[in-house]
Amino acid sequence: MTFNEFLERIDTQYNAQLPFVIYRKPNESAVNGLLQETNDLVYTEDFTEKGFVFSPFDNTEKSVLMPLELSDKLKSLVPETKAIDSIKSSSKVDNTLQKEIHIKLVERGVEAIKNNQFKKVVLSRTESVSLSENNPITIFNNLLQNYASAFVYCWYHPKVGLWLGATPETLVKIEGQRFSIMALAGTQNYKGSLDVTWQAKELQEQQYVTDFILDSIETTIDNINVSKIETVKAGNLLHLKTRIWGVLKPNAISLKDLLYSLHPTPAVCGLPKEAAKQFILEEEHYNREFYTGF
């Protein structure tokens, strides 16, 4: 199947208001698709089903499953082209009020840290823009060209919504009994070189994530190895990354319990996890839904 045929098939599925997901794994040339045959909303029970899982930030909420047995599988190679300009907003909505509210939220977060409620909290806000290009398939293609080292996806369900993203982070990778994960945190702008200086704040932030992961897996993973910290590029940003790997102990933990022991990580939530998560749910005043999910 040519890439254009692939995109046309997805466009037809979207116009028919039927669920689909299309994605490309980091540094790969193939794009994959699952096109669900019905508009049924299916949830995973324990992450042992076959299909594509879309899981929210709040792990007490249900995770949507696009079942393999109810979907058509598509695959195509992405043609090599130069990166193109990012989709521009034709007119930015005035978010001044939201910005002021967010500054006050951050101030409350800082105060909570000073009061020892938690060590770290990752706070977010929404921002509305009016796009000059609102076709999700076109935006997905744009992301493919600009984020070669990221997991790029476009996910749609008529009963849930439309989500697009490009993430450099792998939550968990398991092959047989081999287990690997990454600690990814710390951010600065990319200015043409990976040879940069990191400040103490970013190094501490990344160490928080690494330590959290090690604490979470110490009873379920044998032969744990930790790499040196490296600087990696994701789009126009740089991050600090540490690779962690080992051997999964047989029958030590279910996949669901392993995922929920890690998610949400300090990179998107905070530390300690439950205290930071509760602060986010109570104080952000919007529902993150699948933002910072997996």
Side-chain angles (χ1 to χ4, degrees), residues 18-227:
L18 288 171
F20 70 86
V21 60
I22 47 179
Y23 62 92
R24 188 209 57 207
K25 294 183 178 180
N27 301 308
E28 291 192 1
S29 57
V31 60
N32 301 277
L34 274 184
L35 283 66
Q36 193 172 310
E37 297 164 355
T38 70
N39 66 357
D40 294 338
L41 188 55
V42 183
Y43 299 103
T44 177
E45 296 296 328
D46 55 12
F47 297 95
T48 60
E49 304 90 348
K50 288 179 167 51
F52 190 98
V53 168
F54 206 48
S55 199
F57 164 75
D58 184 357
N59 56 14
T60 65
E61 300 290 335
K62 291 181 178 180
S63 297
V64 181
L65 173 71
M66 211 160 285
L68 196 60
E69 70 268 19
L70 298 179
S71 305
D72 291 333
K73 289 177 66 178
L74 302 180
K75 190 169 187 174
S76 179
L77 292 178
V78 181
E80 290 188 17
T81 58
K82 291 183 179 179
I84 53 182
D85 289 338
S86 299
I87 296 294
K88 303 295 184 183
S89 58
S90 55
S91 60
K92 190 170 182 178
V93 179
D94 186 359
N95 290 285
T96 304
L97 178 59
Q98 285 82 357
K99 183 176 180 180
E100 292 173 355
I101 292 171
H102 186 65
I103 290 171
K104 288 183 172 61
L105 171 62
V106 172
E107 289 172 350
R108 292 198 299 276
V110 171
E111 192 64 28
I113 291 172
K114 289 178 179 178
N115 292 333
N116 297 317
Q117 285 182 239
F118 34 73
K119 294 180 180 178
K120 172 186 176 181
V121 65
V122 180
L123 301 170
S124 67
R125 68 183 177 98
T126 61
E127 184 170 302
S128 299
V129 295
S130 177
L131 296 177
S132 57
E133 173 58 71
N134 59 13
N135 185 311
I137 314 305
T138 303
I139 299 173
F140 172 75
N141 191 25
N142 184 301
L143 291 172
L144 288 177
Q145 310 305 332
N146 284 282
Y147 294 90
S149 61
F151 180 88
V152 176
Y153 72 90
C154 175
W155 186 97
Y156 170 71
H157 197 296
K159 297 177 180 177
V160 179
L162 173 74
W163 291 77
L164 295 106
T167 175
E169 187 172 7
T170 301
L171 179 58
V172 167
K173 186 176 184 179
I174 298 173
E175 297 174 299
Q177 294 303 113
R178 291 181 298 170
F179 169 93
S180 63
I181 190 171
M182 66 169 70
L184 192 80
T187 304
Q188 63 175 283
N189 291 326
Y190 175 68
K191 298 178 180 178
S193 173
L194 298 182
D195 186 15
V196 296
T197 300
W198 291 94
Q199 302 301 314
K201 174 189 176 295
E202 283 75 27
L203 292 167
Q204 179 65 74
E205 184 181 343
Q206 209 273 344
Q207 193 61 50
Y208 277 154
V209 180
T210 302
D211 292 344
F212 166 80
I213 290 172
L214 292 174
D215 289 343
S216 299
I217 66 174
E218 64 178 353
T219 61
T220 56
I221 307 296
D222 282 331
N223 304 324
I224 296 174
N225 297 273
V226 182
S227 75

